Amino acid sequence: MTFDARPTPPRRPVDVPRRRSPLMLAAIAVAILVVIVMAAAQVWAEVAWYRQVGYTSVFTTQWAARLAMFAGFGLLAAACVWFTLWIARRVRPAVTGTRTPLDQVREQIRPVEKLAMVVVPTFIGLIAGLAMGGRWAEFLAWWNHESFGVADPQFGLDASFYVFTLPVLQAVIGFVLTISILCTLLAAFVHLLYGGIGGGRSFVASKGARIQLAVSGLVVMLAIAANYWVGRYALLNTQNGDYFGALYTDVNAIMPGRAILVGIAVLVGLMFLAVIWRGDWRIPAVGVSLMVLSALVIGGIYPAIVQRFEVDPNAQTLEAEFIQRNIDATLYAYGLDDIDTIPYEATVEAEADALRADAETTTQIRLLDPNVVSPAFKQLQQNKQYYDFTDTLAVDRYELEGELNDTVIAVRELNLDGLSDDSRNWVNDTTVYTHGYGVVAAYGNTTASDGQPSFWEGNIPSTGALGDYEPRIYFGQTLPDYSIVGAPEGTEPWELDYPDDDSPNGQVNTTYQGEGGPSIGSFMEKLLYAVKFGEEQILFSDRVTTESQILYYRDPIERVQRVAPYLELDQTTYPAVVDGDVVWVVDGYTTASSFPYSAPVSDQGLFAGSDLAQFPSSLNYVRNSVKATVNAYDGTVTLYAWDEEDPVLKTWQNIFPSTIKSVSDISGDLMSHLRYPEDLFSIQREQLERYHVDDAAAFYSGQDQWELPADPTASSTAAAETLQPPYYLTLQMPGQDDPTFSLTSSFIPGGNTDRNILTGYLAVNSETGNADGEVAEDYGQLRLLELPRDTTIPGPGQAQNYFNADSEAQQTLNLLRTGGSEVVNGNLLTVPVGGGLLYVQPVYVQSSSGTQVPLLRKVFVAFGDKVGFADTLQEALDEVFGEGAAPEVETPTDEVEPDTPLDPGATPEPTPTPEPSSPEPTPSDTATTDPGDITDAQAALEDALDRAQQALEAGQAALAEGDFAAYGETQDALADAIEDAILAEDALAAQ
């Protein structure tokens, strides 16, 4: 019984926690475990790979730098945000009895205040840490940077300040400015929410809010001031119309203006502090307005007035000093400051004895086009459908019979796409087909009698002039993502080495003996790699033994990029046989994008349609500082410091010590196969379109601008967009004592003109020598032939037009195009011989469908406007320069006969050519018929055309059967018939 008259309040229900499903908890636990295992597998695979190749320090250094910057900047940003929120909450005014519209919002937010104090700083810290962590390379380079020894012409600072220090300053200032603005906005929001800021007609803030916002405003303004100050130096990397770097207006108007704006920004920051004592927000508001107005007037209007009324009327005079700075810096930054410019009084008259002085160059002219003959390599040397060659082959030089010879070379790589679907399974793909086999090489300056490449190394097993070398290719460009190799001693080999009809199983097997990949012998290693590659067979296959290794990251360019992440790499890699091993050679570049006054590379059309996304879009400094090799058998990556004086490379050597060997460690054999890289040459020739002019006044007038010619051999739809690529060939430039292996390009007039005449010819000595650790003295010397402006030298497009317009040649080519054949124009080479410039173009014939084997059938040459067209280069040169003018190319004595050509599926022995429906022409029954002996010239023409058609049909039948000897005989008969047809047409024209 109670005397309390108050009603008993209703009992509130007790909140009973909901039981979580055990299945859900288990699923969450499993998901977390899966994520952890997958992450561990990826990390383990990376660590194991770097440890195996011997570059663990590269992995640990870059990830330590990433994590340190992520943690440092992330924690700093999070701390600033947390401290801002904490201060804003701490100084909020006391709650009064007066209700405001924000009270309801405050009540809704109050339960999550503590959570927000954790989530918001953490989120912003993660974003800031990730953003700054991605810039680890810039900060490491700045911390370890080396001096260039070159001062900028404006401030007198070493170029290293712009390359290494300025980007870091800009990054730090940007970070501070962003975080300070964000903290100011967050503080203002909290104060507004909790009543620290109020208003109506006037802006009212509590004392705590005034202090915090005033200090935040000061920090923002100081960051803006620092940004203005650093921006003065950044002007040396800006583009001003057609010029680069700070020009007259920048130096005399914008730079002083930014210095003034620095003072204004600091003054406005101090105005924010005045709010603490006076509480009048109009003071900083006026200051900010003043700064904005000053930025418009001083930073925009005044420079525009100076440019319009002072500079533009006197630009050539006022800008001369600054344009010269641009020219000098650009030439230095791209290694063009030591170019040998040679006035070349080229003749267009072919004289009978003109070629005698250039006999060595003439005999070395490369007729084998590496962009065309890959199908011939495939058909003649591929051997099995699971082998392959790249579509574009490499050009190198090898010493054969005591003389250096330009060589087209390729590696017979493994390509599993050639296998039938029935043969594709995990065991075959991963443990049986593990490697390619052997090198194939052909003379560059001659072909076999039937027009196919003249091989001096090839076949399986490898035979030829290279002698004994390790032919197995476990690392290359078309290999599977991973292979598992190796087995315990005494185990029957199961890796396919090469096919062999004399072996019991029709093949020879091998077991990998190298150290090319991490171990995969333990259960944990199997598990982690099974997770990484998503393949459970790794766990259960008996082919994965305690001695097994797993090979991955097998592409040479990818391997080099992983061990040298600071390098930009050439788009191409090429094979070379060096000291008994096949190695892939990769050229590495150190680059910068903020070298003062240097013009950046333009992207459009620079690399003849190549994909060079690896190069920075704002590249304005480059050096070929590293030569790298990747052993094709064991995957060993070796880096050599090719340009040991490059300050960018020296900087990275400070960061990754002991990862790069000296150039003195390069063997003589390897040295002889190094070359000047294509991408660097492409960059340099692009810059020389404008910067071959080194005088500021002439540069300003722009009357001597050049451009690179379009590739005249490209299809009509792509010709306008595809630049003629540079070509490797052996030649002797004016000023050289002997021919050298070189990389060449040509120039035509720039501007709005259709004239395709030659204005310049560029060649760089690519001969590195063959001495241990010693680079040939003349290597890398650029020589630019400047052609006379009063002489019309045909350009590549004009030379191609001469070929296309030659009536006799086109009659012959039209006959070759009949009967299911097509004509393919090879590379159009430009060679300085005979006192002028000689154009040489090989012409190939191949089937228009089915089996395509491009065979060299004709050669075009042009000197001036005179055209030669014949079966051989010597005959074509004789047509232009006179009988006996061309030196003869010696017939190779060490030619390798190709194995049985590829027949998809099986590789049968060649079978005799079947009898065609009409009798097959042979040299005996297709003897030349003199049209003069036939009373009716028309009958003679018809007879010749009939014999030509028979020869074409027989040739196609021979190609279909892979009988290249018979095909060569039909081509001889075809040549006789074409010659008779031309004679008959001439007789008809004379009647």
Side-chain angles (χ1 to χ4, degrees):
M1 182 173 180
T2 179
F3 295 96
D4 190 354
R6 291 176 301 176
T8 303
R11 179 174 298 179
R12 297 177 60 185
V14 178
D15 292 334
V16 179
R18 300 170 61 184
R19 290 187 61 189
R20 289 182 172 86
S21 169
L23 289 177
M24 180 180 294
L25 293 175
I28 294 173
V30 169
I32 293 174
L33 180 62
V34 168
V35 170
I36 292 174
V37 171
M38 292 180 66
Q42 296 297 327
V43 173
W44 169 264
E46 293 296 307
V47 172
W49 186 85
Y50 275 98
R51 185 171 58 242
Q52 193 280 325
V53 295
Y55 288 88
T56 306
S57 63
V58 175
F59 178 82
T60 56
T61 299
Q62 63 176 310
W63 278 102
R66 287 178 188 271
L67 293 174
M69 289 193 60
F70 170 80
F73 283 98
L75 288 174
L76 180 60
C80 290
V81 172
W82 181 89
F83 189 69
T84 296
L85 296 176
W86 183 80
I87 290 292
R89 290 182 66 224
R90 185 177 180 83
V91 301
R92 60 186 173 183
V95 178
T96 64
T98 305
R99 300 283 295 179
T100 67
L102 289 175
D103 286 341
Q104 186 176 359
V105 177
R106 295 190 193 106
E107 292 175 358
Q108 293 176 345
I109 292 177
R110 187 171 289 111
V112 295
E113 280 183 355
K114 293 182 179 180
L115 180 62
M117 288 288 293
V118 174
V119 172
V120 174
T122 301
F123 176 76
I124 294 175
L126 286 173
I127 299 299
L130 288 172
M132 297 302 289
R135 308 188 72 162
W136 65 272
E138 293 179 2
F139 280 76
L140 277 184
W142 163 70
W143 187 258
N144 297 274
H145 74 268
E146 295 279 341
S147 172
F148 275 77
V150 177
D152 82 85
Q154 181 59 38
F155 298 101
L157 299 174
D158 189 85
S160 60
F161 170 80
Y162 299 90
V163 173
F164 300 117
T165 305
L166 185 58
V168 171
L169 285 176
Q170 291 174 319
V172 171
I173 292 171
F175 173 83
V176 172
L177 183 59
T178 301
I179 296 301
S180 60
I181 291 175
L182 183 61
C183 288
T184 302
L185 295 176
L186 285 172
F189 172 76
V190 173
H191 286 301
L192 179 64
L193 184 64
Y194 288 99
I197 296 176
R201 294 186 177 180
S202 61
F203 185 77
V204 179
S206 66
K207 182 177 180 181
R210 290 203 314 270
I211 295 174
Q212 184 174 19
L213 293 178
V215 172
S216 295
L218 173 64
V219 174
V220 170
M221 297 313 300
L222 291 178
I224 291 175
N227 192 52
Y228 275 129
W229 184 257
V230 170
R232 296 164 62 250
Y233 302 103
L235 287 173
L236 272 61
N237 287 308
T238 56
Q239 179 172 353
N240 293 279
D242 292 332
Y243 313 107
F244 300 89
L247 300 183
Y248 183 89
T249 301
D250 299 306
V251 171
N252 294 280
I254 296 179
M255 282 185 185
R258 288 189 177 179
I260 294 172
L261 289 172
V262 169
I264 293 175
V266 173
L267 179 61
V268 174
L270 296 176
M271 289 180 178
F272 272 96
L273 292 183
V275 175
I276 298 176
W277 295 278
R278 299 200 54 179
D280 189 351
W281 288 100
R282 290 175 295 180
I283 297 175
V286 170
V288 171
S289 301
L290 174 64
M291 190 181 69
V292 172
L293 180 62
S294 300
L296 291 175
V297 175
I298 299 175
I301 297 175
Y302 174 65
I305 293 173
V306 171
Q307 181 69 34
R308 178 69 178 85
F309 295 103
E310 183 178 0
V311 177
D312 288 349
N314 309 284
Q316 189 167 11
T317 302
L318 295 180
E319 302 287 28
E321 175 188 355
F322 306 101
I323 293 174
Q324 193 64 51
R325 294 178 178 181
N326 175 207
I327 295 171
D328 295 342
T330 301
L331 294 178
Y332 172 82
Y334 294 97
L336 299 171
D337 50 341
D338 192 33
I339 191 169
D340 187 6
T341 302
I342 305 169
Y344 188 55
E345 298 293 332
T347 180
V348 293
E349 298 295 330
E351 299 180 1
D353 60 347
L355 297 182
R356 291 176 184 171
D358 299 302
E360 290 186 67
T361 295
T362 306
T363 56
Q364 281 288 343
I365 292 175
R366 180 172 49 76
L367 299 178
L368 215 60
D369 186 347
N371 297 314
V372 172
V373 298
S374 179
F377 272 58
K378 293 178 181 180
Q379 290 298 326
L380 300 172
Q381 287 287 343
Q382 187 171 338
N383 189 276
K384 284 290 185 179
Q385 68 276 11
Y386 44 80
Y387 292 133
D388 201 4
F389 298 100
T390 56
D391 292 336
T392 300
L393 308 183
V395 178
D396 201 350
R397 68 272 190 219
Y398 283 81
E399 186 173 338
L400 303 171
E401 299 181 350
E403 293 185 1
L404 283 177
N405 285 265
D406 286 5
T407 295
V408 176
I409 188 169
V411 164
R412 190 183 291 106
E413 292 197 65
L414 177 67
N415 187 351
L416 295 181
D417 291 338
L419 290 172
S420 65
D421 292 340
D422 294 339
S423 301
R424 298 297 301 272
N425 55 64
W426 184 84
V427 172
N428 280 343
D429 289 0
T430 307
T431 67
V432 176
Y433 296 98
T434 59
H435 59 279
Y437 196 94
V439 164
V440 177
Y443 291 95
N445 64 335
T446 187
T447 60
S449 58
D450 58 357
Q452 62 180 281
S454 178
F455 298 105
W456 56 262
E457 180 72 30
N459 299 339
I460 297 180
S462 296
T463 58
L466 286 177
D468 293 333
Y469 67 95
E470 175 53 67
R472 297 167 183 85
I473 311 299
Y474 282 89
F475 294 86
Q477 298 172 287
T478 63
L479 291 161
D481 290 341
Y482 72 97
S483 291
I484 297 177
V485 298
E489 186 176 352
T491 304
E492 186 73 20
W494 56 67
E495 296 176 46
L496 172 64
D497 208 10
Y498 58 85
D500 183 11
D501 292 338
D502 295 331
S503 298
N505 298 324
Q507 65 186 44
V508 174
N509 291 338
T510 189
T511 298
Y512 184 68
Q513 299 298 322
E515 294 292 334
S519 169
I520 193 174
S522 70
F523 174 79
M524 184 58 67
E525 289 168 338
K526 293 179 184 180
L527 174 63
L528 291 173
Y529 281 112
V531 172
K532 174 177 172 58
F533 292 107
E535 181 52 69
E536 71 280 359
Q537 299 277 14
I538 294 176
L539 280 172
F540 306 113
S541 174
D542 58 4
R543 294 284 178 95
V544 184
T545 69
T546 56
E547 300 298 320
S548 292
Q549 302 173 43
I550 184 166
L551 310 182
Y552 54 102
Y553 300 146
R554 305 171 76 178
D555 184 273
I557 293 179
E558 182 181 16
R559 291 179 77 83
V560 175
Q561 189 69 80
R562 285 181 167 275
V563 304
Y566 48 89
L567 292 178
E568 315 295 342
L569 301 182
D570 200 272
Q571 61 179 328
T572 58
T573 178
Y574 61 95
V577 179
V578 175
D579 300 321
D581 290 315
V582 179
V583 298
W584 297 95
V585 180
V586 181
D587 282 286
Y589 307 98
T590 46
T591 64
S593 57
S594 54
F595 192 89
Y597 273 104
S598 176
V601 172
S602 62
D603 295 330
Q604 186 175 6
L606 171 58
F607 296 97
S610 301
D611 179 13
L612 286 191
Q614 73 272 22
F615 280 97
S617 59
S618 58
L619 161 75
N620 75 346
Y621 171 92
V622 62
R623 290 290 187 271
N624 177 212
S625 54
V626 172
K627 299 285 188 182
T629 62
V630 177
N631 189 291
Y633 184 73
D634 61 21
T636 300
V637 182
T638 309
L639 307 176
Y640 298 98
W642 188 247
D643 186 350
E644 295 184 308
E645 299 304 315
D646 174 40
V648 181
L649 179 63
K650 291 163 71 175
T651 294
W652 286 107
Q653 285 180 298
N654 293 338
I655 299 169
F656 299 114
S658 304
T659 59
I660 303 178
K661 293 186 176 182
S662 169
V663 69
S664 61
D665 293 322
I666 299 178
S667 70
D669 198 5
L670 174 59
M671 185 71 75
S672 67
H673 295 292
L674 302 179
R675 67 187 190 188
Y676 202 84
E678 273 188 77
D679 286 352
L680 175 60
F681 186 74
S682 295
I683 291 172
Q684 290 174 322
R685 69 173 188 164
E686 191 266 349
Q687 293 296 58
L688 282 175
E689 289 181 329
R690 297 185 66 204
Y691 290 93
H692 68 278
V693 178
D694 57 5
D695 176 74
F699 192 91
Y700 179 83
S701 68
Q703 55 85 25
D704 195 25
Q705 187 170 338
W706 296 347
E707 67 180 34
L708 299 170
D711 188 355
T713 66
S715 63
S716 57
T717 56
E721 300 177 1
T722 304
L723 299 180
Q724 187 178 39
Y727 295 122
Y728 287 103
L729 66 155
T730 295
L731 55 81
Q732 183 173 348
M733 289 282 283
Q736 286 185 290
D737 297 329
D738 299 295
T740 58
F741 189 64
S742 303
L743 188 56
T744 67
S745 186
S746 56
F747 298 94
I748 61 175
N752 297 321
T753 178
D754 293 330
R755 297 189 71 202
N756 198 285
I757 62 172
L758 217 58
T759 57
Y761 181 81
L762 180 67
V764 61
N765 184 359
S766 187
E767 191 60 62
T768 49
N770 56 9
D772 292 346
E774 295 183 12
V775 184
E777 183 178 355
D778 200 41
Y779 167 80
Q781 179 61 57
L782 289 151
R783 293 180 172 88
L784 176 63
L785 303 184
E786 286 194 338
L787 302 176
R789 293 167 177 79
D790 57 354
T791 303
T792 301
I793 309 296
Q798 197 169 347
Q800 187 69 57
N801 185 63
Y802 287 159
F803 296 158
N804 296 340
D806 188 277
S807 58
E808 292 187 5
Q810 292 308 314
Q811 288 176 0
T812 301
L813 294 178
N814 286 335
L815 288 171
L816 291 174
R817 290 186 181 99
T818 61
S821 297
E822 65 179 6
V823 173
V824 179
N825 290 328
N827 43 209
L828 181 61
L829 303 178
T830 310
V831 188
V833 295
L837 288 154
L838 175 73
Y839 288 97
V840 179
Q841 183 176 60
V843 179
Y844 299 85
V845 177
Q846 67 181 18
S847 173
S848 57
S849 61
T851 302
Q852 293 184 315
V853 183
L855 302 176
L856 180 65
R857 302 309 305 167
K858 296 288 182 181
V859 179
F860 270 118
V861 300
F863 193 91
D865 58 359
K866 197 168 184 180
V867 174
F869 180 70
D871 292 341
T872 67
L873 174 61
Q874 287 67 37
E875 293 172 356
L877 290 173
D878 285 346
E879 289 185 8
V880 173
F881 291 92
E883 189 70 27
E888 292 188 8
V889 177
E890 296 183 6
T891 303
T893 59
D894 53 358
E895 185 175 353
V896 174
E897 290 294 331
D899 284 339
T900 306
L902 175 70
D903 183 11
T907 311
E909 293 293 326
T911 56
T913 303
E915 291 293 328
S917 56
S918 55
E920 178 180 340
T922 63
S924 60
D925 58 25
T926 58
T928 301
T929 302
D930 186 353
D933 297 336
I934 303 176
T935 57
D936 187 353
Q938 183 63 42
L941 176 61
E942 292 176 358
D943 175 69
L945 292 175
D946 287 343
R947 287 187 286 109
Q949 183 64 34
Q950 292 174 18
L952 285 168
E953 293 176 356
Q956 292 301 312
L959 274 181
E961 295 296 330
D963 191 343
F964 292 96
Y967 179 78
E969 294 177 355
T970 63
Q971 295 306 293
D972 292 337
L974 176 61
D976 292 336
I978 290 174
E979 183 179 349
D980 290 347
I982 293 173
L983 291 174
E985 283 195 342
D986 291 342
L988 283 174
Q991 289 180 356

